[in-house]
Amino acid sequence: MTTLGERLKELRAGKTQRWLAEQLGIPQTTLSNYEKDKNEPNIALIHAITAMFAVRTDWLLFGSGPMREDGAAEDAPARPEAEGLPPDASRLERVEAQRDSLLEENRALWKANAELREKVARLEEQVKHLRAWQEHRVMREDMPPTTCLQEPEPDFSGFFPQPPLRKK
């Protein structure tokens, strides 16, 4: 019994992997991995291959039954179009799926960017309060001791995160 990779090679019959990969809109290395049975194509690609070569899906996937539908010649050339769709239809579907994936990733990056901007704003606020506290300390050092005792120390504890407690 033949493998999916061997059936793909049989369909290619004399054409290069590069040619078939370009027709299917996939990298040549991906096709090579399919032919070596290292990976298996997804359903959209299987549909494109069966349409392109006018072969039955169960034959391509499992090697069962005749290669082509009844009445179709065994040596029929590969069809450049399937069901009225241009040969790049499956590639278009993959590009659209990739675009959707990139849009989702872009949304996640925008959200992460917004969170980082908020964090930067909080840190800038903390720096501002630290500078004010430092300025206050410098001013107190210049004052005579009696004045220093009369002014209470400002409470900046709410502006700084507390270190986590260590568990013993």
Side-chain angles (χ1 to χ4, degrees):
M1 192 168 235
T2 61
T3 66
L4 174 67
E6 291 169 342
R7 288 187 291 279
L8 283 172
K9 287 179 194 174
E10 182 180 341
L11 288 175
R12 202 165 42 86
K15 302 284 186 180
T16 64
Q17 282 184 343
R18 174 173 281 170
W19 173 84
L20 182 55
E22 286 175 1
Q23 295 298 311
L24 296 172
I26 60 174
Q28 184 265 328
T29 54
T30 302
L31 179 61
S32 175
N33 286 335
Y34 294 156
E35 289 186 359
K36 292 176 185 175
D37 293 311
K38 289 184 177 180
N39 290 332
E40 293 182 353
N42 62 28
I43 193 70
L45 191 59
I46 288 179
H47 177 71
I49 293 168
T50 58
M52 180 179 194
F53 290 101
V55 296
R56 297 178 59 226
T57 305
D58 59 341
W59 176 84
L60 180 62
L61 291 175
F62 310 110
S64 61
M67 178 188 243
R68 293 186 168 76
E69 295 292 331
D70 293 336
E74 283 293 319
D75 59 343
R79 295 187 306 173
E81 295 183 3
E83 301 172 17
L85 296 175
D88 291 334
S90 63
R91 183 172 185 198
L92 177 62
E93 290 174 5
R94 282 190 302 281
V95 168
E96 288 175 347
Q98 186 179 20
R99 181 203 61 203
D100 292 342
S101 173
L102 290 172
L103 284 172
E104 186 176 320
E105 183 181 354
N106 192 25
R107 284 186 198 105
L109 290 172
W110 276 101
K111 183 178 178 181
N113 188 18
E115 291 169 357
L116 288 173
R117 285 176 183 255
E118 289 175 8
K119 188 173 183 178
V120 165
R122 284 192 305 270
L123 289 172
E124 286 175 346
E125 189 67 23
Q126 286 180 353
V127 166
K128 178 180 159 186
H129 289 290
L130 275 173
R131 287 188 176 141
W133 180 75
Q134 184 181 23
E135 210 173 282
H136 177 76
R137 297 283 294 188
V138 168
M139 285 176 43
R140 287 189 64 194
E141 290 173 1
D142 294 340
M143 294 182 185
T146 56
T147 312
C148 190
L149 293 175
Q150 293 172 355
E151 290 184 16
E153 182 88 21
D155 181 24
F156 290 105
S157 62
F159 296 108
F160 306 105
Q162 296 297 320
L165 297 175
R166 291 188 181 186
K167 294 182 180 179
K168 294 182 180 181

